[in-house]
Amino acid sequence: LTLPFIGDGASAGNYGYTNSGYSVYEEENERLTESLRTKVSAIKSLSIEIGTEVKNQNKMLSEMDNDFDSAGGLLGATMGRLRTLSRGSQTKLLCYMMLFALFVFFVIYWIIKLR
């Protein structure tokens, strides 16, 4: 059995393409495929780096959230103590401030007198 020729002198093994035309398209396809492969690998590595960075940022945000919670608790406790202090009698607080001011005044007077 002999195979008939297809097209303009091309054998059935070439499927109707001439050697030169087929190889040009094949080389261009290979070049484009390699270019696409390079771009895909670059995008893959970039997305992996972005994923790593996102994980690090989430960890840092979680730590900051914990720090802010503890600072908020400390501030709340301090405000509670300040409210308790302010509920006390104002006259007692005023007396303590006057006694402190007199003490400071006498200490300064004594220092000046010793010169």
Side-chain angles (χ1 to χ4, degrees):
L1 246 119
T2 60
L3 295 173
F5 289 102
I6 301 173
D8 296 324
S11 67
N14 288 336
Y15 300 106
Y17 297 111
T18 61
N19 284 338
S20 62
Y22 179 71
S23 65
V24 169
Y25 289 129
E26 187 66 28
E27 288 173 10
E28 184 178 356
N29 281 342
E30 289 295 325
R31 184 181 54 81
L32 291 173
T33 303
E34 186 60 35
S35 172
L36 185 61
R37 185 177 296 125
T38 303
K39 290 176 184 177
V40 167
S41 68
I43 290 173
K44 178 183 175 185
S45 65
L46 185 63
S47 64
I48 289 172
E49 289 175 15
I50 288 172
T52 304
E53 185 66 25
V54 165
K55 287 178 186 176
N56 290 337
Q57 294 293 328
N58 282 338
K59 181 180 175 186
M60 195 179 337
L61 284 174
S62 176
E63 291 171 0
M64 283 180 59
D65 187 38
N66 292 337
D67 291 343
F68 280 123
D69 284 343
S70 66
L74 182 65
L75 185 60
T78 303
M79 290 302 290
R81 287 189 215 122
L82 187 61
R83 277 191 210 102
T84 304
L85 180 66
S86 68
R87 284 188 204 136
S89 76
Q90 297 294 328
T91 56
K92 186 191 280 186
L93 185 61
L94 188 59
C95 285
Y96 286 142
M97 286 177 49
M98 290 295 278
L99 287 174
F100 179 73
L102 283 173
F103 175 74
V104 170
F105 174 73
F106 282 121
V107 169
I108 292 175
Y109 178 73
W110 184 66
I111 290 174
I112 291 174
K113 197 71 162 161
L114 286 177
R115 283 187 161 190

